[in-house]
Amino acid sequence: MSGNFDTYLERIAAGLPFTLWATVGGIALTVVLSFAAGLAMLSRRRLMRAVARVYVEGFRGSSEVVQLFFFAVAVPIFFGVRIGATAQSLLLVGIVVLGLNHGAYGAEIVRGAVDSVPRAQIEGAVALNLSAPQRLWRVVLPQAVVEMLPPFNNLFIQLLKATALLSFIAVPEIFKKADELRAVPAFADELGLIYAMELVVYLVIAVIITMVMRVLERLAARRVGRAPVRRRGRLSMAVGA
């Protein structure tokens, strides 16, 4: 094993809190924006639908790297705000961009999941004289959430991997801290080991996210009367199983 292994591990450990904060903060903002924009796109109000659509298409159709520099450099200049060059302030900018960008993708997940709820379910709720908010929270969303969770799992893992982009604005996350060793001649021959260690760290975090989302999937399915069953060696969802 390399004699510099402990040095590489220390560098990655130094950047790990920033990666975790960016991931958790980005996921939290993504969830909020996904539901807000996704439901807004289904609104009866044309203006609300238009605003949500502009947000979704704007952030899905532009580069995430450019978005980072826009919010870190251009926005403070436009509004005369000094955000500072501290790691914490730059991390906050990164979380905002990660949330805005992935929230745009999440909005389509929410919209599609809500649209997938059978019309008969909504008609039944109307027959029971439930108000529109009651239909949404008691009938539509519980069923839609079951459909949202698998694609949200993929989206959150994509967000995790996107945290490496924060190195462009000097956030000292794990990629940035390890990549700084590239400029040191003594470590030039072991770059493969450094990057392999980073890959393992990202993989472990991704597995943890997946495990949490799988638990949430089971809980959400159980809430609407579904249970996981095995059919022909594959896991599927059956009503009333």
Side-chain angles (χ1 to χ4, degrees):
M1 182 177 291
S2 170
N4 297 317
F5 184 83
D6 290 342
T7 300
Y8 305 151
L9 198 59
E10 289 174 5
R11 300 288 293 188
I12 293 175
L16 185 59
F18 289 92
T19 294
L20 293 178
W21 275 113
T23 301
V24 173
I27 287 175
L29 186 56
T30 292
V31 171
V32 172
L33 293 175
S34 295
F35 276 89
L39 295 177
M41 287 192 291
L42 296 171
S43 173
R44 295 180 179 179
R45 299 180 180 180
R46 182 177 300 178
L47 178 60
M48 188 174 293
R49 294 199 307 270
V51 171
R53 179 55 65 183
V54 168
Y55 157 64
V56 169
E57 298 303 332
F59 278 89
R60 287 198 312 172
S62 57
S63 167
E64 198 166 359
V65 175
V66 176
Q67 293 168 16
L68 280 170
F69 282 102
F70 178 78
F71 280 89
V73 180
V75 169
I77 293 175
F78 289 160
F79 293 96
V81 178
R82 183 178 179 82
I83 64 172
T86 64
Q88 289 74 19
S89 60
L90 294 172
L91 173 63
L92 181 59
V93 172
I95 289 174
V96 169
V97 172
L98 289 172
L100 286 169
N101 186 275
H102 292 81
Y105 290 93
E108 288 291 357
I109 294 175
V110 172
R111 183 191 62 79
V114 171
D115 270 344
S116 71
V117 175
R119 183 67 186 175
Q121 296 283 334
I122 301 174
E123 292 173 352
V126 173
L128 292 172
N129 202 29
L130 296 180
S131 64
Q134 288 176 325
R135 293 196 297 271
L136 177 64
W137 291 104
R138 295 186 180 183
V139 178
V140 176
L141 281 183
Q143 297 180 71
V145 166
V146 178
E147 306 300 328
M148 294 178 200
L149 289 175
F152 264 127
N153 183 22
N154 293 332
L155 185 64
F156 294 160
I157 292 175
Q158 290 293 336
L159 186 150
L160 163 66
K161 294 186 288 187
T163 59
L165 297 176
L166 303 191
S167 62
F168 286 113
I169 58 172
V171 175
E173 41 73 55
I174 58 176
F175 176 75
K176 177 69 173 178
K177 296 298 291 184
D179 195 57
E180 289 172 352
L181 298 177
R182 190 157 51 96
V184 181
F187 302 129
D189 294 335
E190 296 185 336
L191 290 178
L193 174 60
I194 298 172
Y195 292 129
M197 291 172 65
E198 289 184 65
L199 290 174
V200 171
V201 173
Y202 282 115
L203 176 61
V204 170
I205 299 174
V207 169
I208 293 173
I209 291 174
T210 299
M211 291 173 63
V212 172
M213 294 301 290
R214 291 284 170 79
V215 172
L216 293 178
E217 285 179 39
R218 288 196 292 269
L219 293 176
R222 192 173 303 162
R223 183 182 177 187
V224 296
R226 302 183 189 180
V229 298
R230 290 190 177 276
R231 290 181 179 174
R232 298 178 183 177
R234 297 181 63 182
L235 188 64
S236 61
M237 306 301 293
V239 179

